[in-house]
Amino acid sequence: MKVGIIGATGYGGNELYRLLSKHPHVKECILYTSSEAEKAYRDSYPHLTGISGESLTAINTAGIDSEVDVLFMASPPGAAAELLPEICMEKVKVIDLSGDLRLRDSKTYESWYKRKAADPAITRKAVYGLSELNKEAIRGASVISNPGCFPTAAILGLAPAVSGELIDESSIIIDAKTGVSGAGRKPGAGVHYAETNENFKIYKVNEHQHIPEIEQALLEMNSAVKPLTFQTHLVPMTRGIMTTIYAGAKSGSLKEWHDLYKEFYKDCYFVRVRPVGEFPSTKEVYGSNYCDIGIAFDERTGRITVVSVIDNLMKGAAGQAVQNFNLMNGFDETAGLEMAPLYP
Amino acid sequence: MKVGIIGATGYGGNELYRLLSKHPHVKECILYTSSEAEKAYRDSYPHLTGISGESLTAINTAGIDSEVDVLFMASPPGAAAELLPEICMEKVKVIDLSGDLRLRDSKTYESWYKRKAADPAITRKAVYGLSELNKEAIRGASVISNPGCFPTAAILGLAPAVSGELIDESSIIIDAKTGVSGAGRKPGAGVHYAETNENFKIYKVNEHQHIPEIEQALLEMNSAVKPLTFQTHLVPMTRGIMTTIYAGAKSGSLKEWHDLYKEFYKDCYFVRVRPVGEFPSTKEVYGSNYCDIGIAFDERTGRITVVSVIDNLMKGAAGQAVQNFNLMNGFDETAGLEMAPLYP
Amino acid sequence: MKVGIIGATGYGGNELYRLLSKHPHVKECILYTSSEAEKAYRDSYPHLTGISGESLTAINTAGIDSEVDVLFMASPPGAAAELLPEICMEKVKVIDLSGDLRLRDSKTYESWYKRKAADPAITRKAVYGLSELNKEAIRGASVISNPGCFPTAAILGLAPAVSGELIDESSIIIDAKTGVSGAGRKPGAGVHYAETNENFKIYKVNEHQHIPEIEQALLEMNSAVKPLTFQTHLVPMTRGIMTTIYAGAKSGSLKEWHDLYKEFYKDCYFVRVRPVGEFPSTKEVYGSNYCDIGIAFDERTGRITVVSVIDNLMKGAAGQAVQNFNLMNGFDETAGLEMAPLYP
Amino acid sequence: MKVGIIGATGYGGNELYRLLSKHPHVKECILYTSSEAEKAYRDSYPHLTGISGESLTAINTAGIDSEVDVLFMASPPGAAAELLPEICMEKVKVIDLSGDLRLRDSKTYESWYKRKAADPAITRKAVYGLSELNKEAIRGASVISNPGCFPTAAILGLAPAVSGELIDESSIIIDAKTGVSGAGRKPGAGVHYAETNENFKIYKVNEHQHIPEIEQALLEMNSAVKPLTFQTHLVPMTRGIMTTIYAGAKSGSLKEWHDLYKEFYKDCYFVRVRPVGEFPSTKEVYGSNYCDIGIAFDERTGRITVVSVIDNLMKGAAGQAVQNFNLMNGFDETAGLEMAPLYP
């Protein structure tokens, strides 16, 4: 199978290359660029010396649909919205990691992203690729809208509780923490080492564009869900996301809550619900496609606290994209994704 | 003035030494030890070469009250409870940083700390040293119970809202993050570099001993406060605490909330309420005694989010202890604490 | 093939498990312990939840040689020296990562390691497993002494120059830097996060036990090599070693030097000599078995500077052990080691 | 005394502000900018909230010499060379931190810096401000060329040995390591957190512009000094420099070498020669103006290894500039610089 990656020089694109270049069902990767055609890919990423022989290829929208079988778009916001209308989606399957297709409502998109929404005809066609929750639809999809990194962690952490209607739907608070690679490879004050190291920051307070994505997904499980609070913090580390989720429990005991989560994810290879009393840390999924979950119930307050962790570049981006690629093509869901976390 | 430090070889004790050895009203520091008497202090801390000429002195409880004017106790849990009954508190003022005297109710102490409580006669005498909120009582105190690092950040972040009865008293959730120095100098798996670096962890879920301390302080401001949720996370950095605080607002606009906080802290040198839309990061108070606060109100959810940051070894421990020392002795509140944060 | 790991709960053992549990020619891993028999391995390493079902097994030296085909020893210093005499090495191949068998001369061992040397009969049998330089001997070996992390980087960096007799043999200086995982999993002041983070230290000045190991290997290539200078530094990072090597060049130009290195390693999959003017950083081999080398020649001083980097837990320990395992058993040298570095 | 800072928004300028705003002999700081006039300084550095009330002032070269008594130039390369000819140096003392005036030979400057040298008339007037080595000249100077960060550490580490003619003058090798703040505040790929964290890099191999500065200073002590090797590495930390210095000893024992260093620096408050067998780490001078030195002699090789550490923003830049400011103005050399290192 031939695959293409648009945006290969970004961190998401590079992580896709790491996975796809060793994938058992991928024969060739074409690496597309908007600006650096002909440049050797390893010049952007010297760690690929001796691994990548590819040069970057100019994007040719007219022909791209016959050059590859599946196209991964790890491009900056707006690029997918612009390119997709020119690509024939009967000929090529598309997995978009960029966020352009995630919100079904154009007005919501425009109000949170502060940019023009994609053509609703394309957005409607896109299946939301949260692999564990949407498996059947993903299998039949021609376009996948790959979830955001925070929404992946938050929605997996909330799905059993929300779909079971077991929490107060107006009480959801998500305190999210991410490593710096989530901000992308482009230099800027916000990712300067000296401003980020030995520092802990909050950012985009009440304004993160992942808020409507999380709410949209939860509302599909339970229409009683109310606007939720979601705050994001920058941790001095490269990879990893933790979401600490708080909600009022309608009832229950710790054992019931834990059983619910175990049962809900019992067939999900990549979701590991931890034993009662154990909580995951981000390094425990480093470099892997796992989402690990810990759950606590506090009798003093009647609240549950759910902790979910992922590697933002893996389950939060490229790993989940490959998982969806596997599902769409009838491969084993774990193909090319069997690596253990790198620890320590 | 002569001061003594019990527990000088720990991080809190060392930070006290940094402050007191340059303090304009301190002539001499005696550094007490339970086990390393006669050892040169700089052998424990080579960064003090040429600065500290002191040797460690064995604790002599019989005479300690006549050796020093003020005694700082930065000892491990239980030591203050054991030593204080032997010390004559008419002769020496005591500032205890250890937590032994913070909870007024012995049963609460014993249930959270899992150890025997101090003699209630001593605990009753101890004034809770949250300098900004308790200034008058501190001025007249002979024993100070210096607040915990997390409670300092959390209580300062909540005081205007809670004392003003402006939030739903049953809705308080505090998501706290700390640097690793908060765990002390003793080696252990939890502070091993390779397990901590490039990692983000949650710990003591629903079980942190600072929970009753925060609740006790808030209940004194507002007796309607209900049990709250407080979770703690370990950040891969050495110094710094951020608490992200969530609560349902009974009413208000962002401007009103911000005005409330500005007004509440208008005479507090060490509390810096940031402009509307600006939120502090931990490095912005690094090495200083400031507590910086940012406040947000979200109309979608009706919740406020308060962000407060401190340096856990300064305002969260030694810095606040020196601030209390200044108040108790009638010195300028900022004496020896005027340093700007070290940035970057 | 059945393999055993002694010392599986250390970092080296855990990295061996990561590689061997996914190795195409390994059917079963037995994880031996000296003290925690019956405990589930994942309890030591929660990142292996759902990956490792193994429990730790007590070491039974009498029978171990019939339980496994190959035994990896990732045990603390001294354990291999003690256990190996009881194991029948006709029945089981042994790869020792501990250092016990690396020095051929017992007196040298005892003077640098400050402990009793292993039985010379065993040491003599052990082949030094620097895979690239010793390939034929490794193929026929029954016992491998796996090189130290620093020696691997230093010897690969020096081999072309030293064996070609192209540098002043009395001029070699190696300035080495390592991440903290090299110190092992045992807690201690030297690996405390707060003492290590945002800090750069030198340690074991002129006393590192890897000095005689490096000299022994270089002397085998070139008997004119004189005692060399080797200093080691601790970098605030988890994985990675860089050695910066200095030596006086007898002659040459940058191009000749670079050609020499390219030619010397032209058949070595895991050694990547970088283009002229490019130098590797440690993250560019993170999690992989590569050793990357950059070379500079300075006309002003007549010196070469060679930079070599490895992942200390991979090419510096477990990765090279598996490479040797492949060679000993006639497998493809890269089996189970094809992963690209994890970047960023 | 009124002082001015050109380049206050950079890290060097900000560190100058930290020191000068609390300096006992400074009444006012004027902060000059080339592009952001009228902006509040705290908007660039929110950690200065409540500390700095200053706004940035446009540079007015015509009048600057009457606005301030001493002018600190922490501007980018080239700015001092351009501005100084317009400033009347009879009226204002100048301390230039930029490097423009450090090399006495224009051709050498132009060949290493790849830019036009300053007017030799100005360069000639500038006294090289390595405070410990040049005290008398600094006291009488009107223009100081403040040393580079690496040269400060390297020259202090080498001065006793080189001026005593006790090492082989052709054998000097300096392996230098720096934290990331040395690269300045401007964003770029080289300071991106995700490319720098958990990474160790070498850079500017054989090409660092501090090479001729070090050689020039050493040649003034000992005209037999030959071209030396100096390589620079980037450490994943914010502040701190270590130079590990290697040289062949003409003779001596460890004790003699150590005595030499102790004697040489016996009157230097900011140089702390560590006891025999003890070596400094960078954190042990964090935030302070100390240069700490450890010395080793190896009988096996006849080489000395000298380790020197500084905080690159303090003794390597702003701290030493203030030390020179004190000397030029007849203040106590330590005025405003008495702070202990911040540890941990």
Side-chain angles (χ1 to χ4, degrees), chain A residues 190-220:
Chain A
V191 297
H192 192 299
Y193 184 86
E195 310 271 330
T196 309
N197 176 47
E198 191 65 10
N199 200 357
F200 188 87
K201 303 186 215 179
I202 191 168
Y203 67 101
K204 291 196 187 175
V205 177
N206 290 328
E207 293 179 355
H208 202 290
Q209 72 278 8
H210 286 167
I211 292 173
E213 182 180 341
I214 298 169
E215 290 180 350
Q216 173 181 283
L218 297 182
L219 279 165
E220 283 183 16

Side-chain angles (χ1 to χ4, degrees), chain C residues 27-338:
Chain C
K27 275 206 189 128
E28 193 182 340
C29 272
I30 304 188
L31 307 175
Y32 294 103
T33 180
S34 56
S35 59
E36 305 179 280
E38 318 273 308
K39 190 179 161 188
Y41 188 44
R42 64 83 50 210
D43 289 352
S44 289
Y45 283 112
H47 74 282
L48 295 175
T49 303
I51 297 172
S52 165
E54 290 88 354
S55 290
L56 297 169
T57 299
I59 302 173
N60 162 24
T61 43
I64 206 168
D65 40 22
S66 49
E67 285 171 14
V68 298
D69 301 304
V70 179
L71 184 63
F72 293 83
M73 307 199 69
S75 31
E82 200 184 312
L83 289 173
L84 284 177
E86 304 175 38
I87 293 175
C88 173
M89 277 178 279
E90 271 86 67
K91 293 165 71 183
V92 63
K93 290 177 180 165
V94 172
I95 299 175
D96 176 45
L97 289 84
S98 78
D100 283 8
L101 311 180
R102 289 187 202 141
L103 297 184
R104 232 146 278 143
D105 184 65
S106 293
K107 275 190 202 135
T108 305
Y109 180 91
E110 290 172 359
S111 115
W112 288 90
Y113 280 79
K114 320 283 183 209
R115 60 164 58 239
K116 205 165 153 24
D119 179 350
I122 294 177
T123 308
R124 260 195 308 276
K125 218 182 290 181
V127 170
Y128 189 64
L130 221 167
S131 323
E132 281 71 19
L133 304 179
N134 243 350
K135 207 163 280 189
E136 283 321 304
I138 293 165
R139 284 200 172 106
S142 61
V143 191
I144 294 287
S145 173
N146 215 59
C149 51
F150 287 125
T152 296
I155 298 166
L156 288 173
L158 277 162
V162 167
S163 64
E165 303 185 9
L166 294 164
I167 53 169
D168 171 356
E169 286 88 354
S170 69
S171 72
I172 301 170
I173 292 174
I174 304 165
D175 190 283
K177 299 93 175 171
T178 184
V180 182
S181 63
R185 202 182 200 191
K186 208 177 152 195
V191 297
H192 191 301
Y193 184 86
E195 310 272 328
T196 309
N197 175 48
E198 191 66 7
N199 199 357
F200 188 86
K201 304 186 213 178
I202 191 168
Y203 68 101
K204 291 195 187 176
V205 177
N206 289 328
E207 293 179 357
H208 202 289
Q209 72 277 11
H210 285 168
I211 293 173
E213 181 179 341
I214 298 169
E215 290 180 350
Q216 172 181 280
L218 298 183
L219 278 165
E220 284 181 16
M221 298 172 200
N222 178 337
S223 61
V225 167
K226 294 288 172 301
L228 52 77
T229 296
F230 171 76
Q231 306 292 19
T232 46
H233 304 78
L234 195 66
V235 184
M237 64 184 186
T238 299
R239 287 174 179 243
I241 279 177
M242 179 182 286
T243 60
T244 312
I245 302 167
Y246 303 94
K250 289 184 182 160
S251 69
S253 67
L254 175 54
K255 187 179 176 322
E256 283 165 10
W257 277 103
H258 191 262
D259 287 350
L260 171 75
Y261 272 71
K262 288 292 284 186
E263 176 65 20
F264 191 92
Y265 288 120
K266 70 174 189 295
D267 297 326
C268 297
Y269 180 87
F270 290 116
V271 179
R272 304 188 296 189
V273 178
R274 293 299 188 80
V276 169
E278 187 177 302
F279 296 87
S281 64
T282 60
K283 205 172 180 58
E284 291 166 359
V285 298
Y286 206 83
S288 80
N289 198 46
Y290 292 103
C291 174
D292 280 17
I293 293 177
I295 177 138
F297 174 71
D298 182 21
E299 294 192 2
R300 293 174 68 252
T301 59
R303 284 195 194 102
I304 57 163
T305 298
V306 185
V307 176
S308 65
V309 302
I310 58 171
D311 181 322
N312 57 304
L313 293 176
M314 287 292 292
K315 184 66 181 169
Q320 184 154 253
V322 171
Q323 189 180 355
N324 290 329
F325 167 79
N326 289 338
L327 292 170
M328 289 168 96
N329 291 291
F331 306 142
D332 188 332
E333 187 179 2
T334 65
L337 295 170
E338 303 90 344

Side-chain angles (χ1 to χ4, degrees), chain B:
Chain B
M1 189 159 271
K2 277 175 77 169
V3 301
I5 303 174
I6 295 187
T9 54
Y11 288 148
N14 172 56
E15 191 77 342
L16 280 169
Y17 182 82
R18 179 171 78 99
L19 300 173
L20 295 169
S21 63
K22 310 278 180 182
H23 193 285
H25 302 296
V26 172
K27 274 206 192 130
E28 191 183 341
C29 272
I30 304 187
L31 306 174
Y32 294 102
T33 178
S34 55
S35 60
E36 306 179 278
E38 318 273 308
K39 192 179 160 188
Y41 188 44
R42 65 78 54 211
D43 290 351
S44 288
Y45 283 112
H47 74 281
L48 295 176
T49 303
I51 297 171
S52 165
E54 290 89 353
S55 291
L56 297 169
T57 300
I59 302 172
N60 162 23
T61 42
I64 208 168
D65 41 22
S66 50
E67 285 171 14
V68 298
D69 300 304
V70 179
L71 184 64
F72 293 83
M73 307 199 70
S75 31
E82 201 185 310
L83 288 173
L84 284 177
E86 304 174 38
I87 293 175
C88 172
M89 278 178 279
E90 269 87 67
K91 293 164 71 183
V92 63
K93 288 178 180 165
V94 172
I95 299 176
D96 177 45
L97 290 84
S98 77
D100 284 8
L101 311 180
R102 290 188 201 139
L103 298 185
R104 232 145 279 143
D105 183 65
S106 294
K107 276 192 201 134
T108 304
Y109 179 92
E110 290 173 358
S111 113
W112 288 89
Y113 279 79
K114 319 285 182 206
R115 61 163 58 240
K116 204 167 155 20
D119 178 352
I122 295 176
T123 308
R124 258 196 309 275
K125 218 183 290 183
V127 170
Y128 190 64
L130 222 167
S131 323
E132 281 72 18
L133 305 180
N134 244 350
K135 207 163 279 190
E136 283 321 304
I138 294 165
R139 285 199 172 105
S142 61
V143 192
I144 294 287
S145 173
N146 215 56
C149 51
F150 287 125
T152 297
I155 297 166
L156 288 173
L158 277 161
V162 167
S163 63
E165 302 184 11
L166 294 163
I167 54 169
D168 171 355
E169 286 89 353
S170 68
S171 73
I172 301 170
I173 291 174
I174 304 165
D175 190 283
K177 301 91 175 174
T178 183
V180 182
S181 62
R185 203 182 198 192
K186 207 175 152 198
V191 297
H192 191 300
Y193 184 87
E195 312 271 330
T196 308
N197 175 47
E198 190 64 10
N199 199 358
F200 188 86
K201 303 185 214 179
I202 191 169
Y203 68 101
K204 291 197 187 174
V205 177
N206 290 328
E207 293 179 356
H208 202 290
Q209 73 276 12
H210 286 167
I211 293 174
E213 182 179 342
I214 298 169
E215 290 180 349
Q216 172 181 283
L218 298 183
L219 278 164
E220 284 182 15
M221 300 173 199
N222 177 336
S223 61
V225 167
K226 294 289 173 301
L228 52 77
T229 295
F230 171 75
Q231 306 292 18
T232 47
H233 305 78
L234 194 66
V235 184
M237 62 184 187
T238 299
R239 285 172 182 248
I241 278 177
M242 179 183 286
T243 59
T244 313
I245 302 168
Y246 303 95
K250 288 185 184 160
S251 69
S253 66
L254 175 54
K255 190 178 174 323
E256 282 165 9
W257 277 104
H258 191 262
D259 286 349
L260 170 76
Y261 273 71
K262 288 292 283 185
E263 176 66 20
F264 191 93
Y265 288 119
K266 70 173 189 296
D267 296 325
C268 298
Y269 179 88
F270 290 115
V271 178
R272 305 189 295 189
V273 177
R274 293 297 188 81
V276 170
E278 187 178 303
F279 297 86
S281 64
T282 60
K283 205 171 181 57
E284 291 165 359
V285 297
Y286 206 83
S288 80
N289 198 46
Y290 293 104
C291 173
D292 281 17
I293 293 178
I295 177 140
F297 174 70
D298 183 22
E299 295 192 1
R300 293 175 68 251
T301 59
R303 284 196 193 102
I304 57 163
T305 298
V306 184
V307 177
S308 64
V309 301
I310 57 171
D311 181 323
N312 57 303
L313 293 176
M314 288 291 293
K315 183 66 180 168
Q320 184 154 255
V322 172
Q323 190 180 355
N324 290 329
F325 166 80
N326 289 339
L327 292 170
M328 288 168 96
N329 290 292
F331 305 142
D332 187 330
E333 186 179 4
T334 66
L337 296 171
E338 304 89 344
M339 64 280 284
L342 194 67
Y343 191 93

